[in-house]
Amino acid sequence: MQDTTIQATKRAAITNQSQAVSADLIAVVIAVTNGEPRVLTIEQAQALPSGPFELGHRSLQSGLRAWVERQTGHPLGYIEQLYTFADRDRTGDERVQISISYLGLTREEHAERSAAHGWRGWYDYFPWEDHRAGVPSILPDILMPRLQAWAGEADDPDMRHDRWQRVAIAFGFDDRHWNEELVLQRYELLYEAALVAEATRSWDNGNRPSIPGRSMIADHRRILATGIARLRTKIKYRPVVFELMPPTFTLLQLQRTVEALAGRLVHKQNFRRLIEQQDLVEETGETMSDTGGRPAKRFRFRQTVLAERAVAGTKLPISRA
Amino acid sequence: MQDTTIQATKRAAITNQSQAVSADLIAVVIAVTNGEPRVLTIEQAQALPSGPFELGHRSLQSGLRAWVERQTGHPLGYIEQLYTFADRDRTGDERVQISISYLGLTREEHAERSAAHGWRGWYDYFPWEDHRAGVPSILPDILMPRLQAWAGEADDPDMRHDRWQRVAIAFGFDDRHWNEELVLQRYELLYEAALVAEATRSWDNGNRPSIPGRSMIADHRRILATGIARLRTKIKYRPVVFELMPPTFTLLQLQRTVEALAGRLVHKQNFRRLIEQQDLVEETGETMSDTGGRPAKRFRFRQTVLAERAVAGTKLPISRA
DNA sequence: TCCTATTATGCTCACGTTGAGTATAACTCG
DNA sequence: CGAGTTATACTCAACGTGAGCATAATAGGA
């Protein structure tokens, strides 16, 4: 093999400086209960489950599973990698901290409640993201004027224009459409405008009150935003919603789950048409009659299509216009 | 702030075991020249540019840029993160190696040639991925029978079926359509079937000749596959192709670039329709007359739409059927 | 029992998108 | 000047998608 040079280079480098690295695993674990999307948290809902990647872990994924189970008692099902970032460690020493974040999906069940950890509705952290009941008032009443002020306070007129354009696109101002996938861009704009608590914590500015929405330690809320954005994108082309569903369900329950995630409503008949024509589900034969109307057929996810669709795609009628 | 517990936990863990971590940055740098997609390599085209993440690096991205420039003399433009994985280090000691891979796009220009590094056509590594001139003969002649044999040699009939189904979906056998995005799945199947050199290197089996296609050290070819897959997906909804184009170009040049990346041809008239109706480009006023036919208008990418489209999406007429 | 509210489910329709093909236009080269 | 080649403008049918109408099946109360 001719890779001797490379391996030698690596070894040399490793022996020098790069050992001053530690790797953290951070989990965004999502479940949907009673039509509300929730995230698994620790530390009084101020942090995501996380812990260092250790020698004992067989892989990044298994390390993550171990940490989440240890900290919350909740076993993980589906997980996928989100993003990796590095920061000069805030603890002071000259160590570099690498954080590898994951998105996990489960159902909220055997979750043992405790004071230290628990499920929190994700809209507690991002109240401007829930458009199921129309545009939330926080948007026109609070965010819009504050962001407008932020854009306007730039010196350069070009920069003012640029700021406002980014804001308008991300938040759907100026007659633009709301795009539910831009969760991260929105959070980052609010951070840049110093409207969220995380942005104002370190340097002291006493006078600017932050906007509604629960905050988290370090950049955990940013990671949560990344996870939500990924999930909102992904449900449109991969059958991941089913990871969040009980074994059997009605189409309305499925729809409510999708709506909870997307933060917007979908056309009922079109939703059913799309789900059924894709052969994603099959009837169990039973019906469910306690929802106040005509009984609904129960469905079950067709495991068979997993192999095919996991690769070939799925569609959901969430408008893109 | 209430994050003291967490920070304490982190510090404790860092001091214990997790310092035995080193982080590598690996780059998949792509350019398209003369209608051929190429990847920047080192070590006689057997490795991707890479190096350890060091204390001196301000961020992961800047560390990566530094390594690529040092090893190849080529400055990077657009880059995005691909994936992070961890492996027990192959150098023997009990260190854990974390690899963070990136996709970079540039134009092959100031690239100083040298024996050690250079641009290599990516289809040298994946000859079965180029369908521009129809289904490459390697698919029916070599891959198909060898994969069939591999599927058939499983003991369990269920496993035989499962193997063949995965193969058929990934490679478009049994009258299925070729899906150019499944680059990684295809490579992984070939690896699982021990048909690529990387899979047979470590344990000795002298008798199974590997299939055509240049190999790389460690898992670099796998990372390249990840990058190609990402790029093939991304050109369909983000205007990243323009990162690979010269300042001005004809629509045919643009089309050829897209085709080179996707590994398949597109309908010319529809391609133009789509590009133009999205206002992605504007005429420069000049024309280009050395292509053997009617002179083509020169176009330039409209930087203006970057802000909007970077977020709002783009479309390319690469059939999904 | 019948009416009302509520959810389930089937079906239609208009419209935009997309794959595919036809028809010209404008060059170069021999 | 005709052949070859590329550019560019249109047309058309099929399909996907958003939206709405209509009917079915249940519970609960008048």
Side-chain angles (χ1 to χ4, degrees), chain A residues 36-39 41 45 119-130 132 138 211-216 221 224 228:
Chain A
E36 279 308 311
R38 297 170 204 269
V39 56
T41 61
W119 295 98
R120 282 309 245 272
W122 81 24
Y123 294 120
D124 289 358
Y125 301 94
F126 304 100
W128 54 87
E129 293 290 346
D130 190 357
R132 284 176 292 178
I138 183 185
I211 56 174
R214 180 183 267 277
S215 71
M216 297 182 114
R221 186 151 59 148
L224 175 55
I228 295 175

Side-chain angles (χ1 to χ4, degrees), chain A residues 137-157:
Chain A
S137 58
I138 183 185
L139 264 174
D141 295 352
I142 304 181
L143 296 194
M144 167 106 155
R146 309 257 331 235
L147 286 163
Q148 218 155 17
W150 170 71
E153 88 199 4
D155 296 327
D156 185 7

